[in-house]
Amino acid sequence: MSKERSIFLLAILGYLLLVAALIGIARSGTIPQSQSFVPPPQKLLCFNAINKELRSSDTSLGCTLNEESLGISPIVHGEIRPTALNHTFEVRFLAAQVAAAKLGYELQITSGFRSQAVQAKLFADAVRKYGSEEEASKWVLPKDISNHPWGTAIDVNYPGDKIAVKWLEENGSLFGLCRIYENEWWHFEPVIAPGDLCPPMMVNALESLGNLATSATTKN
Ligand SMILES: [Zn+2]
């Protein structure tokens, strides 16, 4: 075989290998696009505020026009300060309230959304009552940190029917509602997806200030 012929054949072989490699890359690139990923459906709870019915659906079917979803994740606040309680959080509470009423337990939100001005006043009052900001923070958090002004915290039945609230403590996780502090039987937040397990309670709100310093998340 002449030298020129060998070089020619090698060049052809190289070209064919290059084409095969390009086809392989193109195929591997197009497969995920042509078969776009569809996540498997997750369980979804839908609440009808008119007939007060709670129904189980899934994320592929969704809720009907007359229903509201309880959501499929913990409820966290955004960057912009709200002027009312988080809507999905309210739907969760309404669904729990109806379920509790069927068993004879009455649940009412006695303090939900608070403006930062109201929270600041409550904190100042608590500092006077308990003698220091540290002691006060076991019961009331400063306006920038408390989740009440973010619309993601509620006080239930305080200072009234504690027994009904015990039902909520034991069953709230079905609706995505959790008691947060050992020293506040009345304070609940939507920190889980409905049906998940609530996290262990913190001793008091001051502990959440400690968590803030390490994880930069807001509590209470
Ligand atoms: Zn509270």
Side-chain angles (χ1 to χ4, degrees):
M1 197 185 287
S2 72
K3 195 179 170 189
E4 287 80 359
R5 191 172 164 78
S6 298
I7 291 169
F8 176 70
L9 284 174
L10 276 174
I12 293 284
L13 185 64
Y15 175 75
L16 288 175
L17 283 172
L18 181 67
V19 168
L22 285 173
I23 288 171
I25 289 167
R27 280 200 171 164
S28 64
T30 53
I31 284 170
Q33 284 168 7
S34 60
Q35 299 175 350
S36 60
F37 176 70
V38 179
Q42 280 179 270
K43 190 174 171 246
L44 183 69
L45 288 174
C46 301
F47 181 67
N48 185 323
I50 299 161
N51 65 16
K52 314 278 189 208
E53 269 181 20
L54 185 67
R55 186 179 65 88
S56 200
S57 179
D58 68 42
T59 48
S60 68
L61 298 169
C63 300
T64 67
L65 270 181
N66 295 323
E67 296 172 330
E68 305 234 42
S69 159
L70 271 66
I72 52 164
S73 58
I75 295 176
V76 291
H77 64 74
E79 297 286 309
I80 299 165
R81 286 280 173 186
T83 54
L85 200 61
N86 175 283
H87 183 67
T88 303
F89 183 19
E90 192 171 6
V91 172
R92 288 184 184 188
F93 177 78
L94 291 174
Q97 187 183 46
V98 168
K102 285 180 182 164
L103 300 168
Y105 299 115
E106 195 183 326
L107 299 175
Q108 297 292 340
I109 296 175
T110 45
S111 182
F113 171 79
R114 298 172 192 152
S115 69
Q116 283 192 288
V118 165
Q119 187 70 30
K121 167 91 168 59
L122 289 175
F123 185 66
D125 290 347
V127 171
R128 267 191 295 279
K129 179 176 173 185
Y130 295 104
S132 72
E133 291 195 354
E134 187 172 329
E135 276 305 305
S137 295
K138 290 178 182 175
W139 301 97
V140 184
L141 283 175
K143 70 175 174 65
D144 294 331
I145 296 163
S146 168
N147 275 337
H148 280 282
W150 282 117
T152 53
I154 51 173
D155 295 344
V156 182
N157 289 11
Y158 183 78
D161 184 358
K162 199 172 170 176
I163 303 216
V165 178
K166 190 72 184 168
W167 179 89
L168 186 61
E169 180 185 326
E170 288 168 356
N171 299 280
S173 62
L174 297 170
F175 309 91
L177 305 173
C178 296
R179 179 177 163 184
I180 302 294
Y181 303 118
E182 285 174 12
N183 70 329
E184 294 188 20
W185 55 262
W186 55 85
H187 181 101
F188 288 79
E189 296 187 15
V191 293
I192 57 167
D196 281 357
L197 284 177
C198 285
M201 275 188 257
M202 284 180 270
V203 175
N204 54 47
L206 186 63
E207 191 182 330
S208 66
L209 281 179
N211 291 348
L212 258 185
T214 52
S215 70
T217 57
T218 55
K219 294 284 174 196
N220 185 348

